[in-house]
């Protein structure tokens, strides 16, 4: 390598080292400059803060913050002093926030809150006050009013939303929401030298929930006051893009609108929804006042954009009406279902359900059809069905069920006057009523339906009454409903079998209990064995008396409740159970002495004489005679029981004569083996008995 090359290499090396040294010195100078700028910003900040020039102070803090950020970003110059500078900056920022918050903001908006934070209590809410200071401080020499200066400084420091958020929560909980909830609450505004005071007064009100127009007026009064004295100051958002101005009313609006609109809906508008479709037109006033309220808030810049949820809720009144109506109907129906069953009303074939006059699809009342023409009359059958052919028979049903059916008719009538979505919703609510009845009543009243025969009979009638109306309920309204209800969907016929089964099963369960009780009583008769024994006879006689007493007691609780036909069938079935058991026990006896036969006859005669007397379906005793004479129609084994009594007193020849070679009345009721068994038990083994037995075949 030549000397020139060596010198060149040394020169390059020296140049490179000098370059690095220059760059390092330049970096050090820049860092020192940033440190000097940081220090200068802090000094200027302290001076501005002492002079209450909050905007300048906040800007200097921001400048110091930016310097510190640049210093921390320089790699290779991690200075230990940066940590101390960061701590100092944090301390100064908190110090300024304390000044802005505790010494300035709290003087501008002073809250006097009740001792208890229970803002759901009217008494506590009445103790709330808000003082707004509207005059500048005497030593306020800055160009910007102190309020604007404080708010601008908070915006620069990024703490404006935090302050307004806390303010908005107090405003919501202690002023705005109570005005929505309490109808008697009114706003009082008192002007004082240093500003205005907002407080409450309570005026007597009979309203449970305040009308919307009144609520909107009160809220507007408060928000106008805040806008005038606190929020009508544009604040530059230096942290945003392009240095846009922040409208404080808009910031507060964003913070409170969701909560206050929810409160207005939940505590005010919900209760203003009409419960009758005829009042829906009047609700237009509520929609207008809601729209005006929102427009007023938009003018004050609390709101922006299109219609909010509040107005959407008010405009969607038909849907809310349907929901409210359906809810009210279901609640009313459930209350009726859980009320007492035993309060009854009498239903006759002429009974009608009270419903409003239906409207024709055109809105006019339906005209009565004219009498048929002569041509139509000529086509009619000569034999006509009776007026009450398809009517429900006279019986008693629960008053609550009658009201339930009236509710169903009224709801369907309401549906015919409603718009399509509402009509469909109301129709299916009526179906839900019946589904609810099917599920609730048997469960809620289970114990009473099992224990009390009268209630099981009433429940049976209730189910049959509902099923009877279901047959035509949908058809009566079908052509006044919108499609698809008018196309055949409006029907309740599919629910009829279930209701009939519900009523029948409950009553049959009661019948099984009563049958069991009858058989238990007869089991104390000692199988009617050896009636010569006085104790056995007394036991048998007591069992018969208990049976008659039980049937008589049932007759009284079912009298005038069950339809006559059902009553007679039920009493006939129970009486038939008792005499069938007696026939079985007596026919099974292997030895019946003459005295036994007499006493058995006496017991049977008691049943024959007193059994028909339990057939008293009507309160008027004189009208029950025909039912008591028709006992064989309702009691299947009645004639067999009578034949048994004849056998107990007849001689062999009379028995053979009544058998009449298998064609007599005895053969109609008894089998060959039964008659032979009775002959063997009643008569001693003689040639005459053998001859008689030979003829029974």
């Amino acid at each position: 390598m030549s000397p020139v090359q060596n010198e060149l290499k040394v020169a390059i090396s020296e140049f490179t080292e000098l370059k690095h040294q220059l760059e390092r010195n330049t970096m050090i100078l820049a860092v020192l400059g940033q440190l000097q700028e940081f220090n200068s910003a802090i000094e200027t900040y302290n001076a501005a803060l002492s002079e209450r020039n909050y905007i300048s102070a906040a800007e200097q803090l921001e400048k110091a913050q930016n310097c510190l950020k640049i210093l921390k970003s320089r790699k290779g110059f991690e200075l230990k002093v940066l940590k101390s500078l960061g701590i100092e900056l944090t301390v100064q920022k908190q110090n300024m926030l304390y000044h802005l918050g505790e010494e300035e903001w709290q003087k501008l908006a002073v809250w006097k809150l009740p001792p208890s934070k229970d803002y759901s209590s009217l008494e506590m809410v009445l103790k709330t006050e808000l003082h707004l200071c509207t005059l500048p401080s005497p030593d306020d020499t800055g160009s910007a009013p102190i309020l604007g200066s404080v708010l601008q400084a908070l915006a620069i420091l990024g703490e404006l939303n935090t302050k307004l958020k806390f303010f908005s929560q107090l405003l919501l909980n202690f002023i705005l929401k109570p005005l929505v909830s309490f109808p008697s609450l009114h706003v009082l505004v008192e002007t004082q030298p240093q500003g205005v005071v907002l407080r409450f007064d309570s005026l007597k009100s009979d309203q449970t929930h305040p009308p919307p127009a009144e609520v909107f007026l009160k809220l507007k009064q408060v928000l106008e006051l805040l806008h005038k004295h606190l929020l009508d100051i544009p604040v530059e958002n230096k942290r945003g893009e392009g240095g846009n101005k922040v409208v404080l009313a808009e910031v507060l609006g964003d913070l409170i609108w969701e909560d206050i609109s929810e409160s207005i809906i939940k505590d005010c508008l919900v209760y203003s929804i009409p419960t009758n479709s005829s009042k829906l037109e009047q609700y237009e006033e509520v929609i207008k006042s809601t729209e005006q309220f929102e427009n007023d808030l938009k003018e004050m810049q609390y709101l922006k954009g299109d219609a909010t949820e509040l107005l959407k809720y008010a405009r969607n009144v038909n849907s809310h009406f349907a929901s409210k109506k359906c809810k009210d109907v279901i609640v009313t129906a459930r209350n009726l279902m859980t009320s007492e069953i035993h309060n009854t009303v009498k239903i006759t074939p002429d009974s009608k359900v009270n419903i409003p006059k239906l409207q024709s699809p055109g809105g006019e009342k339906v005209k009565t059809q004219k009498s048929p023409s002569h041509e139509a009359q000529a086509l009619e059958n000569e034999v006509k069905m009776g007026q009450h052919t398809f009517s429900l028979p006279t019986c008693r049903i629960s008053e609550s069920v009658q009201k339930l059916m009236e509710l169903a008719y009224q709801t369907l009538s309401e549906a015919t006057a409603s718009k399509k979505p509402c009509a469909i919703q109301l129709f299916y609510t009526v179906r839900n009523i019946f589904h609810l009845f099917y599920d609730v009543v048997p469960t809620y009243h289970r114990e009473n339906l099992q224990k009390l025969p009268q209630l099981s009979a009433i429940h049976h009638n209730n189910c049959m009454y509902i099923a009877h109306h279901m047959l035509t309920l949908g058809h009566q309204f079908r052509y006044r409903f919108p499609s698809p209800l008018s196309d055949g969907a409006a029907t309740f016929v599919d629910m009829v079998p279930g209701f009939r089964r519900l009523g029948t099963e409950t009553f049959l369960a009661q019948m099984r209990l009563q049958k069991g009780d009858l058989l238990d009583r007869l089991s104390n008769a000692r199988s009617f064995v050896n009636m010569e024994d006085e104790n056995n006879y007394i036991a048998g006689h007591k069992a018969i008396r208990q049976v008659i007493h039980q049937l008589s007691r049932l007759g009284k609780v079912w009298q005038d409740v069950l339809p006559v036909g059902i009553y007679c069938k039920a009493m006939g079935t129970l009486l038939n159970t008792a005499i069938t058991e007696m026939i079985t026990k007596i026919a099974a006896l292997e030895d019946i002495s003459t005295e036994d036969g007499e006493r058995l006859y006496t017991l049977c005669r008691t049943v024959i004489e007193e059994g028909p007397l339990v057939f008293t379906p009507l309160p008027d005793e004189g009208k029950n005679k025909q039912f008591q004479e028709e006992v064989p129609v309702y009691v299947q084994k009645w004639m067999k029981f009578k034949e048994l009594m004849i056998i107990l007193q007849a001689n062999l020849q009379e028995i053979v004569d009544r058998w009449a070679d298998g064609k007599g009345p005895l053969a109609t009721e008894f089998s060959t083996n039964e008659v032979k068994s009775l002959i063997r038990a009643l008569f001693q083994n003689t040639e005459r008995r053998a001859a008689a037995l030979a003829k029974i075949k």
Side-chain angles (χ1 to χ4, degrees):
M1 183 177 297
S2 65
V4 175
Q5 288 177 325
N6 285 333
E7 289 177 4
L8 183 60
K9 185 176 181 181
V10 171
I12 292 173
S13 177
E14 289 178 353
F15 176 78
T16 303
E17 184 179 347
L18 289 172
K19 181 182 177 184
H20 287 314
Q21 190 174 357
L22 178 62
E23 289 176 351
R24 182 173 180 79
N25 290 338
T26 303
M27 186 73 73
I28 290 171
L29 288 173
V31 168
L32 291 173
Q34 292 290 340
L35 287 172
Q36 184 181 5
E37 190 175 343
F38 178 91
N39 185 63
S40 176
I42 292 296
E43 288 178 351
T44 307
Y45 152 78
N46 284 319
L49 185 62
S50 64
E51 296 173 1
R52 298 179 70 197
N53 189 349
Y54 297 122
I55 297 176
S56 176
E59 289 173 343
Q60 292 303 317
L61 273 184
E62 282 292 287
K63 185 177 180 180
Q65 179 72 51
N66 291 332
C67 290
L68 187 60
K69 189 183 296 184
I70 294 171
L71 287 170
K72 287 182 178 180
S73 67
R74 295 188 183 279
K75 302 298 179 183
F77 284 86
E78 291 82 1
L79 303 176
K80 292 182 180 180
V81 74
L82 294 183
K83 184 176 181 181
S84 299
L85 294 179
I87 294 172
E88 175 65 17
L89 185 63
T90 302
V91 169
Q92 293 303 330
K93 183 175 181 180
Q94 292 303 317
N95 181 42
M96 183 172 182
L97 289 176
Y98 174 81
H99 276 79
L100 292 173
E102 300 298 323
E103 296 186 6
E104 299 294 353
W105 174 257
Q106 287 193 7
K107 292 178 183 178
L108 297 171
V110 181
W111 287 95
K112 289 188 178 180
L113 301 176
S116 170
K117 296 300 183 285
D118 181 15
Y119 45 84
S120 62
S121 165
L122 178 61
E123 184 182 354
M124 289 296 104
V125 171
L126 285 170
K127 296 178 181 179
T128 301
E129 291 184 7
L130 174 59
H131 295 246
L132 298 176
C133 180
T134 58
L135 296 179
S137 300
D139 56 349
D140 183 14
T141 57
S143 58
I146 188 64
L147 176 60
S149 177
V150 170
L151 295 174
Q152 181 66 67
L154 287 170
I156 294 170
L157 296 176
E159 295 293 328
L160 180 60
N161 275 24
T162 304
K163 286 294 178 187
L164 284 180
K165 187 173 184 180
F166 180 73
F167 178 82
S168 70
Q169 290 304 307
L170 293 176
L171 182 68
L172 277 170
N173 293 333
F174 290 96
I175 295 181
L176 300 182
K177 286 185 178 180
L179 285 174
V180 177
S181 304
F182 300 111
S184 62
L185 208 59
H186 289 266
V187 177
L188 294 178
V189 178
E190 180 183 338
T191 303
Q192 295 183 349
Q194 290 298 318
V196 294
V197 179
L198 185 152
R199 57 169 63 95
F200 291 122
D201 189 18
S202 180
L203 302 178
K204 188 176 180 181
S205 174
D206 297 330
Q207 296 172 326
T208 308
H209 300 281
E214 188 176 307
V215 168
F216 295 149
L217 190 63
K218 294 176 185 178
L219 295 178
K220 181 183 172 185
Q221 185 180 0
V222 173
L223 294 173
E224 279 181 339
L225 186 72
L226 290 174
H227 186 267
K228 178 179 179 181
H229 297 295
L230 189 66
L231 304 175
D232 192 18
I233 298 174
V235 177
E236 188 175 350
N237 184 14
K238 294 193 175 182
R239 290 195 168 200
E241 294 180 3
N244 295 329
K245 295 287 185 179
V246 174
V247 180
L248 293 179
E250 189 176 309
V251 175
L252 185 66
D254 289 340
L255 291 170
I256 68 171
W257 182 247
E258 184 177 345
D259 286 334
I260 194 60
S261 59
E262 181 183 346
S263 179
I264 293 170
I265 291 171
K266 185 177 68 174
D267 298 321
C268 178
L269 287 182
V270 164
Y271 300 100
S272 70
I273 300 294
T275 54
N276 193 298
S277 58
S278 62
K279 296 180 180 179
L280 280 174
E281 291 184 5
Q282 300 175 12
Y283 196 79
E284 190 65 32
E285 293 299 320
V286 175
I287 297 174
K288 288 180 180 178
S289 63
T290 305
E291 190 171 11
Q292 183 60 48
F293 175 65
E294 289 198 354
N295 288 335
D296 291 340
L297 264 57
K298 286 175 183 177
E299 286 181 10
M300 291 185 283
Q301 295 184 293
Y302 284 106
L303 284 181
K304 55 185 178 181
D306 299 326
T308 64
E309 292 302 317
L310 186 65
L311 188 55
K312 288 178 183 176
Y313 183 93
R315 285 174 175 169
N316 200 15
V317 62
N318 286 297
S319 174
H320 300 313
F321 162 73
S323 299
K324 183 177 182 179
K325 182 72 178 179
C326 294
K327 181 181 177 181
D328 291 345
V329 167
I330 290 294
V331 170
T332 303
R334 189 175 182 85
N335 290 336
L336 290 171
M337 292 171 202
T338 53
S339 62
E340 294 294 341
I341 297 178
H342 64 259
N343 296 326
T344 61
V345 292
K346 195 164 189 174
I347 297 297
T348 66
D350 295 318
S351 297
K352 305 290 184 184
V353 176
N354 295 323
I355 57 170
K357 290 185 178 180
L358 297 179
Q359 302 289 320
S360 68
E364 299 178 356
K365 291 183 179 178
V366 180
K367 296 180 180 179
T368 308
Q369 290 185 346
K370 295 181 179 180
S371 58
S373 62
H374 294 293
E375 291 81 0
Q377 290 177 351
L379 296 174
E380 293 182 357
N381 292 326
E382 294 182 3
V383 180
K384 296 183 179 180
M385 288 186 287
Q387 179 184 355
H388 299 137
T389 302
F390 294 107
S391 298
L392 201 68
T394 301
C395 63
R396 283 195 171 273
I397 64 168
S398 299
E399 185 179 6
S400 59
V401 167
Q402 185 184 48
K403 290 179 179 177
L404 186 72
M405 189 52 64
E406 288 177 359
L407 179 66
Y409 274 95
Q410 288 166 359
T411 305
L412 291 175
S413 178
E414 189 92 40
T416 62
S418 304
K419 294 183 179 180
K420 182 175 179 177
C422 181
I424 294 174
Q425 195 171 347
L426 288 172
F427 169 78
Y428 281 102
T429 297
V430 176
R431 282 187 64 94
N432 288 339
I433 287 176
F434 296 131
H435 283 301
L436 196 65
F437 182 96
Y438 191 91
D439 294 331
V440 168
V441 172
T443 305
Y444 186 84
H445 299 283
R446 178 185 287 116
E447 188 174 345
N448 286 336
L449 292 177
Q450 291 173 348
K451 289 183 177 179
L452 305 176
Q454 184 185 37
L455 293 193
S456 63
I458 294 171
H459 176 66
H460 166 272
N461 295 349
N462 289 344
C463 293
M464 296 304 167
Y465 175 78
I466 293 173
H468 174 77
H469 280 279
M470 280 180 171
L471 290 170
T472 57
L473 185 59
H475 181 74
Q476 294 176 57
F477 296 91
R478 174 180 171 181
Y479 296 108
R480 295 175 179 84
F481 281 141
S483 178
L485 296 179
S486 60
D487 300 331
T491 182
F492 297 88
V493 176
D494 57 306
M495 304 175 77
V496 170
F499 268 80
R500 287 177 174 169
R501 185 168 57 252
L502 179 64
T504 302
E505 286 176 352
T506 303
F507 190 65
L508 288 179
Q510 184 62 234
M511 288 287 289
R512 286 192 290 272
L513 285 174
Q514 297 300 327
K515 283 182 180 181
D517 289 346
L518 287 173
L519 295 176
D520 285 344
R521 298 184 193 287
L522 286 174
S523 67
N524 297 325
R526 303 180 184 179
S527 299
F528 300 102
V529 175
N530 192 15
M531 288 289 102
E532 290 179 349
D533 186 315
E534 193 66 25
N535 290 333
N536 288 353
Y537 176 69
I538 291 173
H541 184 267
K542 184 179 179 180
I544 296 299
R545 297 306 312 170
Q546 287 178 338
V547 166
I548 297 298
H549 176 72
Q550 179 180 338
L551 292 174
S552 178
R553 181 173 55 83
L554 277 175
K556 288 179 181 178
V557 298
W558 285 347
Q559 183 188 73
D560 198 38
V561 173
L562 287 169
V564 172
I566 302 294
Y567 174 95
C568 291
K569 287 180 182 178
M571 297 304 294
T573 300
L574 294 174
L575 182 55
N576 190 68
T577 297
I579 65 173
T580 300
E581 181 69 6
M582 290 182 68
I583 293 170
T584 302
K585 296 294 185 185
I586 294 173
L589 295 174
E590 295 181 357
D591 184 25
I592 304 174
S593 67
T594 302
E595 189 173 349
D596 285 343
E598 287 293 335
R599 290 194 165 183
L600 287 171
Y601 178 82
T602 301
L603 295 178
C604 292
R605 187 178 61 193
T606 301
V607 176
I608 287 291
E609 290 175 353
E610 298 189 27
L613 299 181
V614 303
F615 288 86
T616 55
L618 302 174
D620 188 347
E621 291 291 338
K623 295 182 180 180
N624 290 317
K625 188 175 180 181
Q626 67 179 62
F627 305 111
Q628 294 167 0
E629 292 172 349
E630 295 175 357
V631 172
V633 176
Y634 308 114
V635 185
Q636 187 179 358
K637 300 294 183 181
W638 188 255
M639 298 310 296
K640 184 172 184 176
F641 192 62
K642 280 192 166 185
E643 287 297 322
L644 176 63
M645 290 178 63
I646 293 172
I647 292 175
L648 290 174
Q649 285 202 318
N651 56 40
L652 281 170
Q653 186 57 48
E654 288 172 340
I655 293 173
V656 171
D657 290 345
R658 292 194 71 79
W659 182 260
D661 295 328
K663 298 178 182 178
L666 183 59
T668 304
E669 305 298 337
F670 283 90
S671 68
T672 302
N673 290 335
E674 287 175 329
V675 175
K676 286 183 176 182
S677 177
L678 283 169
I679 290 174
R680 291 189 184 102
L682 287 164
F683 300 97
Q684 294 181 350
N685 187 8
T686 62
E687 291 182 2
R688 289 183 62 201
R689 190 184 81 170
L693 288 172
K695 293 179 181 179
I696 306 299
K697 55 185 178 179

